[in-house]
Amino acid sequence: SRLCPNANCMLQWTRWSLRLMSWTINRQPEYDSELLMETTHWDGVKVRVYIPRDETMSHSDGAIVYMHGGGLVFGSTEMYESQTRTMARLARTRLFVSIDYRLAPETVFPGQLEDCERVLEFVIANGPRQYGIDPNKIVVMGDSAGGNLAAAIAQRRRNRETEPKILGQVLLYPWLQMADMQTYSYRYWYREMDGLSFLDPLSLGYYALWYAGVDVNARPDFALAVTVNGHLSDTARSVAAKSMDFAALPQTFRDDVNGSDSPRTEQPISELADYMEPFLTNASFAPLMATDLSGLPSTLVVSCEFDLLRDEGALYAHRLKQAGNVSFSQSYGCSKGMETFFDLPMRFFQESLGEIMLWTNKLLREA
């Protein structure tokens, strides 16, 4: 359009709109009767910190490290204030921290991961002395793109055999792969959800390309190609086929798609496929592509029934269980973004968040 002629302009307008909406709905309070709160920087990364006013009210001496969603191009601690403040109240851990990691396209992979890892290391090194936490009782948590970061961090820490181990990971409708944009849940979206959800395939294509460092202003056709798997090399297809066994999905997920909803694919754009191959097959970029999922922390994967990312979350939970991990999955009849604007009067969303925190609290108390 004349107002916004390219993708970067649309990104900036969307960021401005989200900031305005979060300022209206999720304004940061100056005072909370249950929590001490501050915004600060740890090892150069902006964080929002919550601790109980009365330490005796803590349910455990653990810590929760939260990574927000937003496709790795949107989001902030301010936007998530209402949700994270509510979660901190429900958790009553000695420490709850929300990370304001850098965003793409200004910062590309793996910059966001490195920001979150620096905060996690700060918590481990300084949390016992400053907040009285047990460094063996840390849960990483994230929604959507934040679920990607939390899952990748758990894998990377396992790969390095770093101590102490992460106690648990909570992945809320996580974004875990970009090697198949025609899964059952994507095809259901095209048939039933177009225009009715927070996230659409084309937008996700833009987000993934920005995260990978692609100039989508110069090549907007690349984002369209991603939606029909035109970004896949033969190697990327092979890795995805080994990592994604759709027969493991619940029958109800597969029943959503009828014979007329066959996958829509096009011949790959060779320039794009060659560039994206090392990202699509890298588990730090796409955690579902990891060949070995053993030795990971106890996991809760929450998916939304009407979400593009439903299938990959269910597949990850299945593969974690197959690899011998303690893994639980829970699906809600909702769309993406169910928790973000928590001040909205939606009892169902409040109940679902309560159930998520019950699982997390039980894990921390019993550790």
Side-chain angles (χ1 to χ4, degrees):
S1 69
R2 293 179 183 177
L3 181 63
C4 226
N6 58 50
N8 274 22
C9 176
M10 289 187 285
L11 171 65
Q12 297 308 322
W13 270 102
T14 305
R15 284 177 173 175
W16 180 86
S17 300
L18 287 172
R19 282 196 295 268
L20 178 61
M21 185 162 58
S22 64
W23 181 85
T24 303
I25 299 173
N26 287 342
R27 296 180 67 178
Q28 289 190 349
E30 296 180 1
Y31 177 83
D32 187 289
S33 60
E34 299 180 36
L35 299 169
L36 293 169
M37 305 173 295
E38 73 168 326
T39 298
T40 185
H41 288 79
W42 288 349
D43 196 12
V45 182
K46 182 181 174 183
V47 294
R48 180 75 166 159
V49 180
Y50 308 85
I51 58 175
R53 285 186 174 276
D54 183 353
E55 189 175 295
T56 63
M57 296 298 291
S58 298
H59 291 167
S60 78
D61 56 355
I64 295 173
V65 178
Y66 193 86
M67 290 145 246
H68 67 74
L72 302 166
V73 302
F74 305 120
S76 64
T77 51
E78 289 84 4
M79 180 177 168
Y80 272 73
E81 167 65 24
S82 179
Q83 176 182 330
T84 51
R85 181 166 30 96
T86 300
M87 295 172 94
R89 284 200 205 108
L90 293 172
R92 293 192 182 278
T93 53
R94 295 282 175 83
L95 175 66
F96 188 109
V97 57
S98 175
I99 306 175
D100 213 341
Y101 56 83
R102 292 169 295 168
L103 301 174
E106 295 84 359
T107 299
V108 300
F109 173 83
Q112 291 82 345
L113 267 174
E114 291 168 349
D115 285 356
C116 294
E117 287 178 326
R118 289 208 303 275
V119 171
L120 178 61
E121 292 304 321
F122 186 95
V123 170
I124 292 169
N126 298 280
R129 177 176 52 85
Q130 291 188 19
Y131 301 101
I133 71 161
D134 181 342
N136 295 292
K137 297 181 182 179
I138 295 176
V139 172
V140 293
M141 183 182 294
D143 69 282
S144 194
N148 174 297
L149 297 173
I153 285 171
Q155 289 185 18
R156 285 155 67 94
R157 197 169 182 81
R158 185 276 317 265
N159 294 345
R160 294 192 294 261
E161 299 182 351
T162 307
E163 296 290 342
K165 293 182 173 66
I166 294 172
L167 176 64
Q169 57 179 339
V170 179
L171 313 177
L172 309 179
Y173 38 88
W175 175 22
L176 299 170
Q177 62 89 29
M178 280 300 296
D180 192 347
M181 298 280 281
Q182 289 289 318
T183 66
Y184 287 103
S185 51
Y186 275 87
R187 284 180 274 157
Y188 178 84
W189 184 93
Y190 281 111
R191 194 180 81 240
E192 303 287 348
M193 297 298 295
D194 191 355
L196 300 174
S197 63
F198 276 96
L199 182 66
D200 63 89
L202 181 59
S203 295
L204 190 55
Y206 277 110
Y207 304 162
L209 294 174
W210 271 318
Y211 187 39
V214 176
D215 182 0
V216 293
N217 275 345
R219 294 299 301 265
D221 58 314
F222 281 1
L224 284 169
V226 168
T227 66
V228 288
N229 288 341
H231 62 309
L232 301 184
S233 66
D234 289 341
T235 298
R237 289 181 190 276
S238 176
V239 171
K242 293 175 182 176
S243 302
M244 302 172 72
D245 177 13
F246 292 104
L249 290 173
Q251 186 64 45
T252 53
F253 286 12
R254 288 176 278 148
D255 287 343
D256 282 341
V257 176
N258 57 43
S260 64
D261 294 318
S262 57
R264 296 186 291 174
T265 60
E266 291 184 4
Q267 285 296 111
I269 300 174
S270 58
E271 177 188 354
L272 176 61
D274 291 344
Y275 181 86
M276 289 300 296
E277 181 181 305
F279 295 96
L280 301 178
T281 58
N282 183 347
S284 290
F285 184 92
L288 186 56
M289 297 300 106
T291 56
D292 178 14
L293 291 180
S294 63
L296 289 168
S298 296
T299 305
L300 173 64
V301 180
V302 175
S303 59
C304 287
E305 183 179 354
F306 310 119
D307 179 24
L308 293 177
L309 309 180
R310 178 198 66 188
D311 291 355
E312 54 207 73
L315 289 173
Y316 197 58
H318 171 76
R319 287 191 57 207
L320 285 169
K321 198 171 294 185
Q322 276 192 320
N325 303 287
V326 178
S327 174
F328 301 90
S329 61
Q330 177 66 49
S331 180
Y332 292 101
C334 60
S335 182
K336 175 175 294 300
M338 67 175 184
E339 315 295 358
T340 308
F341 300 109
F342 192 81
D343 278 346
L344 295 176
M346 300 179 184
R347 170 182 268 182
F348 166 77
F349 296 161
Q350 296 173 4
E351 290 176 351
S352 64
L353 190 55
E355 291 172 4
I356 291 163
M357 297 313 298
L358 279 175
W359 184 92
T360 306
N361 290 341
K362 185 173 185 291
L363 178 68
L364 287 165
R365 284 198 305 270
E366 294 180 354

PDB file of all heavy atoms in Angstrom, residues 1-27:
ATOM      1  N   SER A   1       0.835  -1.185   0.000  1.00  0.00           N
ATOM      2  CA  SER A   1       0.000   0.000   0.000  1.00  0.00           C
ATOM      3  C   SER A   1       0.875   1.241   0.000  1.00  0.00           C
ATOM      4  O   SER A   1       2.074   1.183   0.243  1.00  0.00           O
ATOM      5  CB  SER A   1      -0.903   0.000   1.235  1.00  0.00           C
ATOM      6  OG  SER A   1      -0.121   0.203   2.385  1.00  0.00           O
ATOM      7  N   ARG A   2       0.272   2.438  -0.261  1.00  0.00           N
ATOM      8  CA  ARG A   2       1.031   3.673  -0.247  1.00  0.00           C
ATOM      9  C   ARG A   2       1.539   4.002   1.150  1.00  0.00           C
ATOM     10  O   ARG A   2       2.614   4.561   1.334  1.00  0.00           O
ATOM     11  CB  ARG A   2       0.159   4.819  -0.759  1.00  0.00           C
ATOM     12  CG  ARG A   2      -0.204   4.695  -2.240  1.00  0.00           C
ATOM     13  CD  ARG A   2      -1.094   5.847  -2.660  1.00  0.00           C
ATOM     14  NE  ARG A   2      -1.497   5.710  -4.049  1.00  0.00           N
ATOM     15  CZ  ARG A   2      -2.319   6.541  -4.678  1.00  0.00           C
ATOM     16  NH1 ARG A   2      -2.837   7.579  -4.007  1.00  0.00           N
ATOM     17  NH2 ARG A   2      -2.629   6.353  -5.937  1.00  0.00           N
ATOM     18  N   LEU A   3       0.721   3.672   2.160  1.00  0.00           N
ATOM     19  CA  LEU A   3       1.105   3.976   3.530  1.00  0.00           C
ATOM     20  C   LEU A   3       2.279   3.124   3.986  1.00  0.00           C
ATOM     21  O   LEU A   3       3.176   3.604   4.674  1.00  0.00           O
ATOM     22  CB  LEU A   3      -0.089   3.770   4.469  1.00  0.00           C
ATOM     23  CG  LEU A   3       0.156   4.063   5.950  1.00  0.00           C
ATOM     24  CD1 LEU A   3       0.510   5.537   6.148  1.00  0.00           C
ATOM     25  CD2 LEU A   3      -1.061   3.682   6.770  1.00  0.00           C
ATOM     26  N   CYS A   4       2.279   1.859   3.597  1.00  0.00           N
ATOM     27  CA  CYS A   4       3.314   0.933   4.064  1.00  0.00           C
ATOM     28  C   CYS A   4       3.747   0.057   2.879  1.00  0.00           C
ATOM     29  O   CYS A   4       3.156  -0.991   2.630  1.00  0.00           O
ATOM     30  CB  CYS A   4       2.752   0.075   5.198  1.00  0.00           C
ATOM     31  SG  CYS A   4       3.861  -0.067   6.605  1.00  0.00           S
ATOM     32  N   PRO A   5       4.761   0.469   2.152  1.00  0.00           N
ATOM     33  CA  PRO A   5       5.083  -0.189   0.891  1.00  0.00           C
ATOM     34  C   PRO A   5       5.898  -1.468   0.992  1.00  0.00           C
ATOM     35  O   PRO A   5       6.072  -2.157  -0.008  1.00  0.00           O
ATOM     36  CB  PRO A   5       5.879   0.889   0.147  1.00  0.00           C
ATOM     37  CG  PRO A   5       6.546   1.675   1.246  1.00  0.00           C
ATOM     38  CD  PRO A   5       5.559   1.675   2.376  1.00  0.00           C
ATOM     39  N   ASN A   6       6.425  -1.801   2.178  1.00  0.00           N
ATOM     40  CA  ASN A   6       7.265  -2.991   2.269  1.00  0.00           C
ATOM     41  C   ASN A   6       7.092  -3.681   3.622  1.00  0.00           C
ATOM     42  O   ASN A   6       6.426  -3.173   4.526  1.00  0.00           O
ATOM     43  CB  ASN A   6       8.740  -2.656   2.018  1.00  0.00           C
ATOM     44  CG  ASN A   6       9.262  -1.606   2.990  1.00  0.00           C
ATOM     45  OD1 ASN A   6       9.094  -1.723   4.202  1.00  0.00           O
ATOM     46  ND2 ASN A   6       9.906  -0.563   2.455  1.00  0.00           N
ATOM     47  N   ALA A   7       7.723  -4.846   3.736  1.00  0.00           N
ATOM     48  CA  ALA A   7       7.540  -5.677   4.929  1.00  0.00           C
ATOM     49  C   ALA A   7       8.083  -5.003   6.183  1.00  0.00           C
ATOM     50  O   ALA A   7       7.470  -5.088   7.256  1.00  0.00           O
ATOM     51  CB  ALA A   7       8.221  -7.028   4.717  1.00  0.00           C
ATOM     52  N   ASN A   8       9.236  -4.342   6.093  1.00  0.00           N
ATOM     53  CA  ASN A   8       9.796  -3.710   7.277  1.00  0.00           C
ATOM     54  C   ASN A   8       8.904  -2.585   7.791  1.00  0.00           C
ATOM     55  O   ASN A   8       8.777  -2.383   9.001  1.00  0.00           O
ATOM     56  CB  ASN A   8      11.196  -3.171   6.980  1.00  0.00           C
ATOM     57  CG  ASN A   8      12.265  -4.219   7.177  1.00  0.00           C
ATOM     58  OD1 ASN A   8      11.966  -5.410   7.126  1.00  0.00           O
ATOM     59  ND2 ASN A   8      13.498  -3.797   7.391  1.00  0.00           N
ATOM     60  N   CYS A   9       8.281  -1.858   6.873  1.00  0.00           N
ATOM     61  CA  CYS A   9       7.339  -0.816   7.287  1.00  0.00           C
ATOM     62  C   CYS A   9       6.154  -1.428   8.020  1.00  0.00           C
ATOM     63  O   CYS A   9       5.740  -0.933   9.075  1.00  0.00           O
ATOM     64  CB  CYS A   9       6.869  -0.038   6.066  1.00  0.00           C
ATOM     65  SG  CYS A   9       5.604   1.210   6.425  1.00  0.00           S
ATOM     66  N   MET A  10       5.618  -2.523   7.491  1.00  0.00           N
ATOM     67  CA  MET A  10       4.491  -3.201   8.141  1.00  0.00           C
ATOM     68  C   MET A  10       4.890  -3.726   9.515  1.00  0.00           C
ATOM     69  O   MET A  10       4.103  -3.676  10.462  1.00  0.00           O
ATOM     70  CB  MET A  10       3.968  -4.326   7.259  1.00  0.00           C
ATOM     71  CG  MET A  10       3.232  -3.837   6.025  1.00  0.00           C
ATOM     72  SD  MET A  10       2.447  -5.163   5.085  1.00  0.00           S
ATOM     73  CE  MET A  10       3.880  -5.907   4.292  1.00  0.00           C
ATOM     74  N   LEU A  11       6.125  -4.200   9.637  1.00  0.00           N
ATOM     75  CA  LEU A  11       6.621  -4.667  10.929  1.00  0.00           C
ATOM     76  C   LEU A  11       6.620  -3.534  11.951  1.00  0.00           C
ATOM     77  O   LEU A  11       6.159  -3.708  13.084  1.00  0.00           O
ATOM     78  CB  LEU A  11       8.034  -5.239  10.765  1.00  0.00           C
ATOM     79  CG  LEU A  11       8.778  -5.587  12.059  1.00  0.00           C
ATOM     80  CD1 LEU A  11       8.080  -6.716  12.804  1.00  0.00           C
ATOM     81  CD2 LEU A  11      10.229  -5.960  11.757  1.00  0.00           C
ATOM     82  N   GLN A  12       7.120  -2.381  11.552  1.00  0.00           N
ATOM     83  CA  GLN A  12       7.189  -1.256  12.486  1.00  0.00           C
ATOM     84  C   GLN A  12       5.791  -0.773  12.885  1.00  0.00           C
ATOM     85  O   GLN A  12       5.551  -0.442  14.048  1.00  0.00           O
ATOM     86  CB  GLN A  12       7.996  -0.111  11.864  1.00  0.00           C
ATOM     87  CG  GLN A  12       9.453  -0.460  11.566  1.00  0.00           C
ATOM     88  CD  GLN A  12      10.195  -1.046  12.760  1.00  0.00           C
ATOM     89  OE1 GLN A  12      10.001  -0.625  13.900  1.00  0.00           O
ATOM     90  NE2 GLN A  12      11.053  -2.026  12.505  1.00  0.00           N
ATOM     91  N   TRP A  13       4.869  -0.747  11.928  1.00  0.00           N
ATOM     92  CA  TRP A  13       3.497  -0.365  12.248  1.00  0.00           C
ATOM     93  C   TRP A  13       2.867  -1.357  13.213  1.00  0.00           C
ATOM     94  O   TRP A  13       2.154  -0.978  14.147  1.00  0.00           O
ATOM     95  CB  TRP A  13       2.654  -0.268  10.975  1.00  0.00           C
ATOM     96  CG  TRP A  13       2.659   1.089  10.363  1.00  0.00           C
ATOM     97  CD1 TRP A  13       3.365   1.504   9.275  1.00  0.00           C
ATOM     98  CD2 TRP A  13       1.940   2.242  10.821  1.00  0.00           C
ATOM     99  NE1 TRP A  13       3.138   2.837   9.021  1.00  0.00           N
ATOM    100  CE2 TRP A  13       2.261   3.313   9.954  1.00  0.00           C
ATOM    101  CE3 TRP A  13       1.069   2.478  11.877  1.00  0.00           C
ATOM    102  CZ2 TRP A  13       1.724   4.594  10.112  1.00  0.00           C
ATOM    103  CZ3 TRP A  13       0.535   3.752  12.030  1.00  0.00           C
ATOM    104  CH2 TRP A  13       0.862   4.794  11.155  1.00  0.00           C
ATOM    105  N   THR A  14       3.126  -2.658  13.004  1.00  0.00           N
ATOM    106  CA  THR A  14       2.560  -3.681  13.894  1.00  0.00           C
ATOM    107  C   THR A  14       3.151  -3.559  15.289  1.00  0.00           C
ATOM    108  O   THR A  14       2.444  -3.681  16.289  1.00  0.00           O
ATOM    109  CB  THR A  14       2.798  -5.082  13.325  1.00  0.00           C
ATOM    110  OG1 THR A  14       2.287  -5.151  11.991  1.00  0.00           O
ATOM    111  CG2 THR A  14       2.104  -6.134  14.176  1.00  0.00           C
ATOM    112  N   ARG A  15       4.454  -3.320  15.362  1.00  0.00           N
ATOM    113  CA  ARG A  15       5.076  -3.127  16.677  1.00  0.00           C
ATOM    114  C   ARG A  15       4.453  -1.949  17.408  1.00  0.00           C
ATOM    115  O   ARG A  15       4.162  -2.026  18.601  1.00  0.00           O
ATOM    116  CB  ARG A  15       6.588  -2.895  16.505  1.00  0.00           C
ATOM    117  CG  ARG A  15       7.390  -4.142  16.190  1.00  0.00           C
ATOM    118  CD  ARG A  15       8.850  -3.782  15.972  1.00  0.00           C
ATOM    119  NE  ARG A  15       9.685  -4.969  15.819  1.00  0.00           N
ATOM    120  CZ  ARG A  15      10.978  -4.916  15.522  1.00  0.00           C
ATOM    121  NH1 ARG A  15      11.576  -3.752  15.360  1.00  0.00           N
ATOM    122  NH2 ARG A  15      11.676  -6.040  15.400  1.00  0.00           N
ATOM    123  N   TRP A  16       4.248  -0.846  16.682  1.00  0.00           N
ATOM    124  CA  TRP A  16       3.651   0.329  17.300  1.00  0.00           C
ATOM    125  C   TRP A  16       2.248   0.022  17.800  1.00  0.00           C
ATOM    126  O   TRP A  16       1.871   0.408  18.914  1.00  0.00           O
ATOM    127  CB  TRP A  16       3.618   1.473  16.273  1.00  0.00           C
ATOM    128  CG  TRP A  16       3.019   2.735  16.823  1.00  0.00           C
ATOM    129  CD1 TRP A  16       3.655   3.715  17.523  1.00  0.00           C
ATOM    130  CD2 TRP A  16       1.649   3.127  16.715  1.00  0.00           C
ATOM    131  NE1 TRP A  16       2.766   4.703  17.870  1.00  0.00           N
ATOM    132  CE2 TRP A  16       1.517   4.381  17.385  1.00  0.00           C
ATOM    133  CE3 TRP A  16       0.517   2.576  16.126  1.00  0.00           C
ATOM    134  CZ2 TRP A  16       0.311   5.064  17.467  1.00  0.00           C
ATOM    135  CZ3 TRP A  16      -0.697   3.253  16.218  1.00  0.00           C
ATOM    136  CH2 TRP A  16      -0.783   4.480  16.874  1.00  0.00           C
ATOM    137  N   SER A  17       1.468  -0.706  16.997  1.00  0.00           N
ATOM    138  CA  SER A  17       0.094  -1.048  17.384  1.00  0.00           C
ATOM    139  C   SER A  17       0.073  -1.940  18.618  1.00  0.00           C
ATOM    140  O   SER A  17      -0.746  -1.756  19.519  1.00  0.00           O
ATOM    141  CB  SER A  17      -0.626  -1.744  16.227  1.00  0.00           C
ATOM    142  OG  SER A  17      -0.692  -0.909  15.095  1.00  0.00           O
ATOM    143  N   LEU A  18       0.990  -2.922  18.658  1.00  0.00           N
ATOM    144  CA  LEU A  18       1.041  -3.823  19.809  1.00  0.00           C
ATOM    145  C   LEU A  18       1.474  -3.085  21.066  1.00  0.00           C
ATOM    146  O   LEU A  18       0.974  -3.356  22.158  1.00  0.00           O
ATOM    147  CB  LEU A  18       1.988  -4.991  19.514  1.00  0.00           C
ATOM    148  CG  LEU A  18       1.477  -6.036  18.527  1.00  0.00           C
ATOM    149  CD1 LEU A  18       2.587  -7.021  18.174  1.00  0.00           C
ATOM    150  CD2 LEU A  18       0.279  -6.774  19.091  1.00  0.00           C
ATOM    151  N   ARG A  19       2.420  -2.166  20.919  1.00  0.00           N
ATOM    152  CA  ARG A  19       2.836  -1.382  22.094  1.00  0.00           C
ATOM    153  C   ARG A  19       1.681  -0.555  22.628  1.00  0.00           C
ATOM    154  O   ARG A  19       1.485  -0.451  23.841  1.00  0.00           O
ATOM    155  CB  ARG A  19       4.025  -0.483  21.733  1.00  0.00           C
ATOM    156  CG  ARG A  19       5.352  -1.192  21.677  1.00  0.00           C
ATOM    157  CD  ARG A  19       6.509  -0.212  21.708  1.00  0.00           C
ATOM    158  NE  ARG A  19       6.532   0.642  20.527  1.00  0.00           N
ATOM    159  CZ  ARG A  19       7.198   0.385  19.418  1.00  0.00           C
ATOM    160  NH1 ARG A  19       7.891  -0.757  19.327  1.00  0.00           N
ATOM    161  NH2 ARG A  19       7.197   1.220  18.408  1.00  0.00           N
ATOM    162  N   LEU A  20       0.907   0.024  21.721  1.00  0.00           N
ATOM    163  CA  LEU A  20      -0.242   0.817  22.148  1.00  0.00           C
ATOM    164  C   LEU A  20      -1.275  -0.060  22.836  1.00  0.00           C
ATOM    165  O   LEU A  20      -1.812   0.302  23.890  1.00  0.00           O
ATOM    166  CB  LEU A  20      -0.868   1.508  20.931  1.00  0.00           C
ATOM    167  CG  LEU A  20      -2.121   2.351  21.212  1.00  0.00           C
ATOM    168  CD1 LEU A  20      -1.803   3.487  22.180  1.00  0.00           C
ATOM    169  CD2 LEU A  20      -2.699   2.898  19.901  1.00  0.00           C
ATOM    170  N   MET A  21      -1.533  -1.249  22.255  1.00  0.00           N
ATOM    171  CA  MET A  21      -2.523  -2.144  22.847  1.00  0.00           C
ATOM    172  C   MET A  21      -2.061  -2.647  24.209  1.00  0.00           C
ATOM    173  O   MET A  21      -2.851  -2.701  25.163  1.00  0.00           O
ATOM    174  CB  MET A  21      -2.796  -3.320  21.904  1.00  0.00           C
ATOM    175  CG  MET A  21      -3.902  -4.247  22.374  1.00  0.00           C
ATOM    176  SD  MET A  21      -4.548  -5.297  21.051  1.00  0.00           S
ATOM    177  CE  MET A  21      -3.081  -6.157  20.504  1.00  0.00           C
ATOM    178  N   SER A  22      -0.785  -3.013  24.323  1.00  0.00           N
ATOM    179  CA  SER A  22      -0.295  -3.521  25.611  1.00  0.00           C
ATOM    180  C   SER A  22      -0.263  -2.402  26.650  1.00  0.00           C
ATOM    181  O   SER A  22      -0.513  -2.633  27.826  1.00  0.00           O
ATOM    182  CB  SER A  22       1.093  -4.138  25.451  1.00  0.00           C
ATOM    183  OG  SER A  22       2.042  -3.170  25.065  1.00  0.00           O
ATOM    184  N   TRP A  23       0.031  -1.169  26.227  1.00  0.00           N
ATOM    185  CA  TRP A  23       0.008  -0.049  27.165  1.00  0.00           C
ATOM    186  C   TRP A  23      -1.407   0.163  27.698  1.00  0.00           C
ATOM    187  O   TRP A  23      -1.604   0.490  28.871  1.00  0.00           O
ATOM    188  CB  TRP A  23       0.493   1.215  26.471  1.00  0.00           C
ATOM    189  CG  TRP A  23       0.519   2.424  27.374  1.00  0.00           C
ATOM    190  CD1 TRP A  23       1.518   2.790  28.227  1.00  0.00           C
ATOM    191  CD2 TRP A  23      -0.515   3.410  27.505  1.00  0.00           C
ATOM    192  NE1 TRP A  23       1.163   3.947  28.888  1.00  0.00           N
ATOM    193  CE2 TRP A  23      -0.070   4.352  28.472  1.00  0.00           C
ATOM    194  CE3 TRP A  23      -1.766   3.602  26.915  1.00  0.00           C
ATOM    195  CZ2 TRP A  23      -0.835   5.453  28.845  1.00  0.00           C
ATOM    196  CZ3 TRP A  23      -2.528   4.698  27.283  1.00  0.00           C
ATOM    197  CH2 TRP A  23      -2.059   5.610  28.233  1.00  0.00           C
ATOM    198  N   THR A  24      -2.404  -0.060  26.829  1.00  0.00           N
ATOM    199  CA  THR A  24      -3.799   0.133  27.222  1.00  0.00           C
ATOM    200  C   THR A  24      -4.287  -0.977  28.139  1.00  0.00           C
ATOM    201  O   THR A  24      -4.977  -0.746  29.129  1.00  0.00           O
ATOM    202  CB  THR A  24      -4.692   0.200  25.974  1.00  0.00           C
ATOM    203  OG1 THR A  24      -4.232   1.246  25.122  1.00  0.00           O
ATOM    204  CG2 THR A  24      -6.142   0.452  26.361  1.00  0.00           C
ATOM    205  N   ILE A  25      -3.897  -2.234  27.819  1.00  0.00           N
ATOM    206  CA  ILE A  25      -4.444  -3.393  28.525  1.00  0.00           C
ATOM    207  C   ILE A  25      -3.524  -3.879  29.638  1.00  0.00           C
ATOM    208  O   ILE A  25      -3.972  -4.253  30.719  1.00  0.00           O
ATOM    209  CB  ILE A  25      -4.703  -4.548  27.535  1.00  0.00           C
ATOM    210  CG1 ILE A  25      -5.718  -4.112  26.484  1.00  0.00           C
ATOM    211  CG2 ILE A  25      -5.196  -5.799  28.252  1.00  0.00           C
ATOM    212  CD1 ILE A  25      -5.919  -5.124  25.376  1.00  0.00           C
ATOM    213  N   ASN A  26      -2.213  -3.865  29.387  1.00  0.00           N
ATOM    214  CA  ASN A  26      -1.257  -4.501  30.295  1.00  0.00           C
ATOM    215  C   ASN A  26      -0.321  -3.501  30.944  1.00  0.00           C
ATOM    216  O   ASN A  26       0.860  -3.768  31.115  1.00  0.00           O
ATOM    217  CB  ASN A  26      -0.406  -5.526  29.532  1.00  0.00           C
ATOM    218  CG  ASN A  26      -1.182  -6.761  29.187  1.00  0.00           C
ATOM    219  OD1 ASN A  26      -2.219  -7.024  29.773  1.00  0.00           O
ATOM    220  ND2 ASN A  26      -0.696  -7.532  28.236  1.00  0.00           N
ATOM    221  N   ARG A  27      -0.802  -2.345  31.304  1.00  0.00           N
ATOM    222  CA  ARG A  27       0.076  -1.322  31.865  1.00  0.00           C
ATOM    223  C   ARG A  27       0.777  -1.828  33.116  1.00  0.00           C
ATOM    224  O   ARG A  27       0.170  -2.425  33.997  1.00  0.00           O
ATOM    225  CB  ARG A  27      -0.715  -0.062  32.178  1.00  0.00           C
ATOM    226  CG  ARG A  27      -1.302   0.606  30.958  1.00  0.00           C
ATOM    227  CD  ARG A  27      -2.082   1.840  31.310  1.00  0.00           C
ATOM    228  NE  ARG A  27      -1.211   2.887  31.836  1.00  0.00           N
ATOM    229  CZ  ARG A  27      -1.651   4.098  32.197  1.00  0.00           C
ATOM    230  NH1 ARG A  27      -2.930   4.390  32.101  1.00  0.00           N
ATOM    231  NH2 ARG A  27      -0.813   5.011  32.665  1.00  0.00           N
TER     232      ARG A  27
END
